[in-house]
Amino acid sequence: EMAAKLLPHALPMEAAPGTAHEFVVGMATRQLESHSRFLDIGDLSCVLQGAVAWQASGDRSAIHHAARILRTVWPWVASKLPYLGPDDLALALKGYCWQLQYSQQEFAVQGALRDHPFVESVADARDGGHSMRTAARTRSELDFKTKLVQHVLSRLSEMPLRQMAVCLTSLASGVSE
């Protein structure tokens, strides 16, 4: 799928993403939302690379787009875990762990979870912001732990040292000295 292959290259090298970049990623995200079940392993790898690149930019709208992309492909990532290689497993774990961290930082700062990688935030008319159903969030994070995290940990012994380091660093990123 062309949209999947486009994502890793849609981010500008030196500047923050502009409206043209956001438009391209928005179009690619909409394409992925409607055709994600047709992604093969290579396409899924491109999507994960693109999401991680957008997260790494640190731009607020880029992080929002990364969350949409990760939410869209989560069912397919979960169903294709046995077929993912070490690089793809490391990318998946890194992308979803980073996005969970971003979402939790938003909660700490603003009191509302946004840009969650598994559950869509919904506008809450009472407070004018975004809120998320706690039960859905808890279920989705448990699903993430039982599917992706446990699968990656069970395959660590098969991974080259570089991918093993990425996986362990992703899992331990919330731990500080």
Side-chain angles (χ1 to χ4, degrees):
E1 167 106 13
M2 183 57 80
K5 294 190 182 344
L6 175 70
L7 280 175
H9 308 289
L11 188 67
M13 290 299 219
E14 296 177 12
T19 54
H21 295 98
E22 288 185 35
F23 176 76
V24 168
V25 171
M27 293 281 293
T29 303
R30 283 189 290 285
Q31 277 287 327
L32 288 171
E33 287 172 343
S34 62
H35 296 92
S36 62
R37 66 182 176 274
F38 300 114
L39 295 176
D40 63 17
I41 299 296
D43 294 336
L44 204 51
S45 178
C46 287
V47 169
L48 292 170
Q49 287 173 8
V52 168
W54 277 82
Q55 289 170 332
S57 77
D59 181 72
R60 182 78 194 112
S61 66
I63 291 169
H64 173 73
H65 283 298
R68 277 184 63 195
I69 291 164
L70 291 171
R71 271 193 307 275
T72 299
V73 299
W74 170 244
W76 311 114
V77 169
S79 70
K80 295 182 182 195
L81 283 174
Y83 310 108
L84 296 179
D87 286 331
D88 298 331
L89 280 175
L91 267 175
L93 188 64
K94 182 178 184 178
Y96 284 100
C97 286
W98 279 11
Q99 199 65 42
L100 274 173
Q101 265 192 311
Y102 289 131
S103 182
Q104 290 166 351
Q105 287 173 352
E106 283 293 315
F107 182 71
V109 171
Q110 297 182 359
L113 281 172
R114 295 198 313 219
D115 300 330
H116 198 272
F118 304 108
V119 180
E120 180 86 39
S121 298
V122 292
D124 189 344
R126 291 174 291 164
D127 64 7
H130 292 273
S131 65
M132 187 179 303
R133 286 176 237 112
T134 305
R137 189 183 83 235
T138 303
R139 264 193 322 273
S140 66
E141 290 174 8
L142 181 61
D143 189 42
F144 162 71
K145 290 174 187 171
T146 58
K147 289 184 178 170
L148 183 60
V149 174
Q150 287 182 355
H151 185 79
V152 168
L153 290 176
S154 71
R155 290 187 53 193
L156 272 179
S157 61
E158 303 170 17
M159 293 184 182
L161 192 55
R162 190 176 118 246
Q163 284 83 9
M164 187 184 298
V166 168
C167 291
L168 294 175
T169 303
S170 296
L171 288 173
S173 60
V175 178
S176 61
E177 294 180 37

